């Protein structure tokens, strides 16, 4: 009823409007060389941004030595990818010193963030060959994307449906590594289609690091007069040895996950300017503390099934005073589990497993109402908005999260921007309820909140792109897993206050080249620095305070011959904080994280429509740790080929 009422209120005034909304389609027609991003409620070209948004383009994905989504994100400025498993089996993403639970993940604008734990956020059904580009919003994004875009958001854009082509790839490497993918775009009548499937496997680089994964993705779209209908569905399955993932006391852990999702989006014509969507996501998680030879006291594996469903409605209108956008989002989250949630009166059998039962459950829902107005006056631009969030887990059941963005193009090459926003994140189900041999949850956790400020400069000078930004985040009631030295268990707590400040800078060289050229030369230098204004005191922090203090990323792609070239990715990382080293069956003294260099290399050669390539991860065989006591691989070499045929 609320949705129908809001829809009727929005439709009546826009029927009288004849202004044309700056949609991605109309903007792209005017600015053919610019990417349209969703860093605010109404789409905007990259040159008009008043926020820090980095875009990984299709050309960069093609030339990257990464074999998975986490690898693509690893060299983005200001991003911290902490890996437990290899090749994206489990990787945690954090932005600007935040935790992995504070980043919102979207596929084509649809929120697929996992409420059980951020460890599952990158379980997406898209391999690199199926991704068109990735947009990374850095800083608070609650007023744009809703709750849990606490420290930023990552929007993964799939290849567009309808382009007639077939693309295949195969890769093989050390430790029994194998990967294969197939994707196709085609048309059938008025329907446009894109379909992809991929699989990856390895025996593992050491004990209990083997894995298998498979994914499928389908997207279809059709135009109905001036409106457009867009549907997508995907599946991702993983099974992997989880060597010491959650405690080094029991290294023989194992985990299996299955993720399914589907969504339907509708966009009206320019007169109405309405966008609406419905979506659903289901995630299965089976965790085994002992993969085999379990002790007598170990009674059962952990089983979880999480369901998320939601609907969104957005309206925007462009007039003489700028673009006004209004939106509403309803999101429902539910979990069945044998360890997370509140006790159920009657257990439910876990489908597909004998003698396994869900004995606990929990659910919550929230309504987000967003409003924003953006205007452009000559060289000045401004965007102001508000998120009103209704949820019974908030104090009083309602809270407001305003924001303001400013921009000034003071020369043709230089642009100043500044932004201040208030944001929030709800505790995950794991934060609230998980208790085990190494953890104690806390159902009394309250949402964490923060105010984020940033300002900086952007410049485009012929072949060079320069960006510098400084930022500050004042966080309250921050959620973290902590323990005192010598304790065996981590406890989930609201820390009183954690302030993060930092600096980011990048310089990118992109010479103008014809699209037909085999190798697009590019060079980049990225640097980020973070400082935490809160020490851990008597506690050892597992996530909040173990951020990257310094990160330097160097990238270079160049031609070697007329048909081939090379890509280099070099990264230096220094992490704040430390961990208690586990040796000889006991936890030792607190040990600082050691800085390290990491280099990836990719060599490729094009023969007609076929590309042959060789890759090496961690080329110099660096020894490093990004998560306490979890082993990481050394040098890993792969070879493969891929081909794309249009028709």
């Amino acid at each position: 009823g609320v949705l129908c009422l809001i829809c009727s209120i929005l439709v009546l005034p826009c029927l009288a409007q004849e202004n044309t909304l700056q949609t991605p389609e109309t903007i792209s027609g005017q600015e053919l060389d610019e990417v349209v991003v969703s860093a605010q409620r109404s789409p905007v070209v990259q040159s008009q941004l008043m926020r820090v948004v980095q875009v990984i383009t299709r050309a960069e994905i093609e030339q990257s030595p990464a074999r998975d989504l986490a690898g693509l994100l690893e060299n983005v400025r200001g991003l911290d990818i902490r890996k437990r498993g290899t090749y994206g089996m489990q990787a945690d993403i954090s932005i600007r010193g935040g935790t992995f639970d504070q980043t919102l993940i979207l596929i084509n604008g649809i929120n697929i963030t996992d409420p059980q734990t951020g460890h599952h956020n990158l379980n997406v059904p898209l391999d690199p060959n199926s991704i068109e580009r990735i947009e990374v919003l850095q800083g608070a994004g609650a007023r744009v994307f809703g709750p849990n875009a606490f420290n930023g958001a990552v929007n993964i854009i799939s290849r567009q449906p309808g382009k007639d082509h077939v693309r295949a790839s195969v890769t093989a490497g050390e430790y029994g590594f194998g990967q294969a993918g197939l994707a196709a775009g085609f048309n059938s009548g008025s329907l446009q289609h894109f379909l992809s499937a991929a699989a990856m496997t390895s025996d593992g680089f050491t004990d209990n690091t083997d894995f298998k994964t498979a994914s499928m993705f389908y997207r279809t779209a059709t135009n109905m007069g001036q409106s457009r209908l867009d549907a997508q569905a995907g599946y991702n399955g993983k099974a992997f040895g989880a060597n010491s993932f959650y405690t080094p006391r029991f290294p023989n852990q194992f985990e299996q996950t299955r993720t399914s999702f589907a969504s339907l989006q509708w966009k009206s014509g320019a007169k109405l300017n309405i966008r609406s969507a419905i979506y659903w996501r289901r995630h299965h998680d089976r965790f085994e503390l002992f993969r085999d030879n379990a002790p007598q006291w170990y009674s059962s594996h952990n089983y979880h099934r999480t369901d998320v469903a939601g609907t969104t409605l957005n309206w925007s209108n462009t007039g003489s005073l700028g673009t006004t956008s209004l939106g509403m989002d309803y999101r429902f989250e539910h979990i069945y589990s044998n360890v997370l949630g509140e006790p159920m009166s009657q257990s439910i059998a876990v489908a597909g497993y004998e003698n396994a039962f869900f004995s606990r459950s929990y659910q919550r829902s929230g309504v987000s109402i967003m409003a924003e107005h953006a205007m452009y006056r000559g060289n000045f631009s401004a965007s102001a908005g508000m998120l009103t969030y209704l949820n019974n887990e908030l104090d009083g059941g309602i809270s407001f999260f305003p924001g303001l963005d400013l921009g000034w193009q003071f020369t043709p090459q230089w642009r100043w921007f500044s932004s201040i926003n208030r944001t929030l994140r709800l505790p995950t189900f794991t934060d609230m309820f998980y208790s085990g041999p190494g953890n104690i949850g806390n159902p009394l956790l309250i949402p964490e909140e923060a105010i984020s400020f940033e300002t900086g400069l952007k410049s485009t000078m012929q072949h060079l792109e320069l960006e510098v930004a400084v930022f500050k985040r004042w966080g309250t009631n921050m959620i973290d897993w902590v323990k005192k030295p010598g304790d065996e268990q981590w406890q989930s707590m609201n820390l009183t206050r954690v302030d993060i400040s930092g600096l980011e800078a990048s310089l990118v060289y992109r010479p103008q080249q014809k699209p037909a050229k085999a190798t697009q030369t590019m060079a980049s230098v990225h640097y980020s620095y973070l400082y935490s204004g809160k020490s851990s005191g008597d506690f050892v922090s597992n996530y909040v305070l173990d951020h990257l203090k310094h990160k330097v990323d160097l990238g270079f792609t160049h031609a070697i011959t007329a048909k081939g070239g090379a890509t280099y990715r070099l990264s230096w990382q220094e992490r704040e904080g430390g961990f208690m080293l586990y040796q000889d069956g006991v936890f030792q003294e607190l040990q600082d994280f050691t800085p390290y260099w990491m280099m990836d290399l990719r060599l490729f050669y094009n023969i007609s429509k076929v590309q042959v390539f060789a890759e090496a991860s961690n080329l110099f065989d660096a020894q490093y740790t990004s998560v306490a006591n979890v082993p990481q691989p050394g040098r890993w070499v792969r070879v493969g080929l891929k081909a794309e045929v249009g028709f």
Side-chain angles (χ1 to χ4, degrees):
V2 173
L3 288 174
C4 292
L5 177 62
I6 291 180
C7 185
S8 63
I9 293 173
L10 298 181
V11 168
L12 286 175
C14 68
L15 287 174
Q17 292 286 346
E18 295 298 332
N19 297 309
T20 301
L21 172 69
Q22 283 188 305
T23 64
E25 290 79 8
T26 58
I27 293 176
S28 295
Q30 301 165 7
E31 305 284 351
L32 296 177
D33 296 329
E34 292 201 69
V35 176
V36 179
V37 296
S38 304
Q40 56 190 53
R41 298 297 301 172
S42 55
V44 60
V45 292
Q46 207 167 2
S47 63
Q48 294 180 333
L49 282 174
M50 294 166 274
R51 298 292 303 275
V52 175
V53 179
Q54 297 184 77
V55 178
I56 305 175
T57 66
R58 181 63 214 164
E60 292 170 328
I61 295 173
E62 286 282 356
Q63 297 172 348
S64 172
R67 294 288 94 203
D68 58 272
L69 176 60
L72 291 176
L73 295 169
E74 195 163 18
N75 295 101
V76 175
R77 186 189 73 236
L79 263 63
D80 182 8
I81 304 295
R82 302 184 72 174
K83 297 179 180 179
R84 282 184 168 90
T86 55
Y87 295 95
M89 291 306 105
Q90 188 182 108
D92 298 335
I93 175 174
S94 66
I95 299 176
R96 289 183 171 177
T99 70
F100 58 90
D101 289 320
Q102 296 173 346
T103 302
L104 197 73
I105 307 296
L106 307 100
I107 295 181
N108 295 317
I110 299 297
N111 182 359
I112 63 164
T113 306
D114 192 286
Q116 177 194 336
T117 172
H119 291 315
H120 301 322
N121 280 345
L122 293 183
N123 291 352
V124 301
L126 287 168
D127 68 309
N129 286 330
S130 302
I131 299 174
E132 181 64 30
R133 69 178 188 276
I134 303 173
E135 303 170 359
V136 181
L137 169 65
Q138 296 180 226
R143 89 166 201 259
V144 180
F145 298 108
N148 295 338
F150 186 88
N151 238 35
V154 177
N155 189 13
I156 306 163
I157 311 298
S158 72
R159 301 288 289 268
Q160 293 295 317
K163 179 184 176 182
D164 293 331
H165 74 284
V166 173
R167 184 183 185 90
S169 65
V170 61
T171 309
E174 295 179 286
Y175 309 113
F177 178 86
Q179 183 182 37
L182 181 66
F186 57 95
N187 295 277
S188 61
S190 61
L191 291 176
Q192 304 165 349
H193 308 272
F194 175 76
L195 178 65
S196 69
M200 186 164 49
T201 183
S202 171
D203 299 331
F205 68 95
T206 189
D207 292 341
N208 198 36
T209 59
D210 58 305
F211 63 81
K212 292 181 180 179
T213 180
S215 63
M216 294 181 290
F217 179 79
Y218 173 68
R219 184 180 180 188
T220 183
T222 184
N223 295 319
M224 302 181 298
Q226 292 187 342
S227 63
R228 183 173 177 84
L229 199 63
D230 194 319
Q232 61 180 346
Y235 170 84
N236 175 266
K238 297 179 180 179
F240 49 91
N243 189 330
S244 303
F245 270 26
Y246 302 107
T247 173
R249 295 171 58 195
F250 311 116
N252 196 34
Q253 302 164 47
F254 180 82
E255 191 161 9
Q256 184 175 22
T257 64
R258 291 177 287 126
T259 309
S260 304
F261 91 100
S263 71
L264 179 65
Q265 301 184 69
W266 175 75
K267 297 180 182 180
S268 72
K271 290 185 178 181
L272 295 180
N273 299 330
I274 292 178
R275 293 178 291 119
S276 62
I278 56 174
Y279 61 91
W280 165 83
R281 178 186 184 272
R282 171 169 290 182
H283 188 271
H284 297 267
D285 177 30
R286 184 181 95 246
F287 173 73
E288 303 177 8
L289 187 61
F290 297 94
R291 187 171 185 174
D292 48 40
N293 300 321
Q296 188 173 2
W297 58 263
Y298 183 70
S299 58
S300 174
H301 305 318
N302 293 346
Y303 297 90
H304 316 283
R305 195 192 83 184
T306 305
D307 285 281
V308 174
T311 181
T312 65
L313 178 65
N314 297 278
W315 168 81
S316 58
N317 183 68
T318 301
S320 58
L321 298 179
T323 299
T324 300
S325 303
L326 300 175
M328 181 177 178
D329 179 276
Y330 170 77
R331 183 175 172 90
F332 171 81
E333 300 173 339
H334 178 274
I335 189 170
Y336 281 125
S337 174
N338 62 340
V339 292
L340 302 180
E342 299 168 343
M344 299 165 55
S345 59
Q346 185 174 356
S347 297
I348 299 175
V350 180
Y353 299 98
E354 295 183 1
N355 301 319
F357 298 90
F358 294 130
S359 57
R360 294 175 174 270
S361 69
Y362 186 75
Q363 68 181 47
R364 65 188 180 193
S365 61
V367 176
S368 302
I369 301 174
M370 300 95 151
E372 183 182 76
H373 184 78
M375 63 179 184
Y376 305 89
R377 290 290 180 272
N379 294 328
F380 291 92
S381 54
S383 174
M386 171 85 75
L387 163 69
T388 301
Y389 186 58
L390 296 86
N391 189 296
N392 55 12
E393 295 188 10
L394 297 173
D395 185 18
I398 186 172
S399 194
F400 303 93
F401 300 89
L404 173 66
D405 307 330
L406 299 173
W408 177 30
Q409 193 77 35
F410 56 90
T411 74
Q413 292 80 29
W414 289 90
R415 181 176 181 82
W416 167 83
F417 63 91
S418 187
S419 174
I420 185 168
N421 289 273
R422 185 168 181 253
T423 188
L424 85 157
R425 178 182 78 87
L426 301 176
T428 65
F429 297 152
T430 300
D431 292 332
M432 298 171 65
F433 298 111
Y434 184 69
S435 295
N439 302 82
I440 302 176
N442 183 1
L444 301 180
L445 289 172
I446 61 176
E448 53 187 9
E449 299 183 0
I451 295 176
S452 295
F453 170 78
E454 67 180 26
T455 187
L457 295 171
K458 300 180 182 181
S459 176
T460 302
M461 301 172 288
Q462 291 185 342
H463 308 316
L464 293 177
E465 300 172 10
L466 173 67
E467 186 168 358
V468 179
V470 294
F471 56 88
K472 178 82 173 183
R473 189 198 71 194
W474 296 268
T476 57
N477 301 319
M478 305 301 289
I479 300 170
D480 192 17
W481 291 86
V482 298
K483 66 179 178 180
K484 292 185 177 181
D487 288 351
E488 293 291 329
Q489 292 181 309
W490 297 94
Q491 301 179 51
S492 180
M493 297 176 58
N494 283 107
L495 297 180
T496 304
R497 188 179 186 94
V498 177
D499 296 340
I500 295 286
S501 56
L503 165 70
E504 296 173 348
S506 68
L507 181 64
V508 180
Y509 172 70
R510 303 178 194 268
Q512 296 178 357
Q513 297 170 323
K514 296 181 180 180
K517 190 168 182 177
T519 304
Q520 300 291 313
T521 300
M522 189 187 76
S524 62
V525 180
H526 303 288
Y527 171 72
S528 57
Y529 166 79
L530 287 172
Y531 171 76
S532 173
K534 169 72 176 182
S535 64
S536 58
D538 294 333
F539 290 101
V540 177
S541 168
N542 200 24
Y543 299 115
V544 169
L545 301 175
D546 291 350
H547 56 75
L548 284 178
K549 183 177 181 180
H550 296 282
K551 183 187 179 190
V552 179
D553 292 301
L554 307 175
F556 183 44
T557 298
H558 68 95
I560 298 178
T561 70
K563 296 183 178 181
T567 296
Y568 312 87
R569 294 285 184 268
L570 184 63
S571 179
W572 180 73
Q573 300 183 10
E574 180 182 348
R575 187 172 301 279
E576 192 69 272
F579 62 97
M580 285 184 287
L581 183 66
Y582 188 81
Q583 282 183 339
D584 302 323
V586 295
F587 285 101
Q588 307 291 333
E589 70 281 354
L590 187 66
Q591 178 171 311
D592 292 336
F593 286 100
T594 303
Y596 63 89
W597 285 97
M598 178 77 70
M599 182 174 180
D600 297 339
L601 171 66
R602 185 173 192 268
L603 303 173
F604 55 92
Y605 187 80
N606 298 293
I607 307 172
S608 184
K609 298 294 184 180
V610 177
Q611 183 181 94
V612 181
F613 59 87
E615 301 169 339
S617 301
N618 193 2
L619 182 65
F620 297 141
D621 204 25
Q623 303 299 308
Y624 69 100
T625 299
S626 61
V627 177
N629 297 296
V630 179
Q632 293 297 309
R635 184 186 302 107
W636 201 321
V637 178
R638 306 173 299 273
V639 295
L641 59 87
K642 59 183 178 181
E644 180 171 344
V645 179
F647 56 89

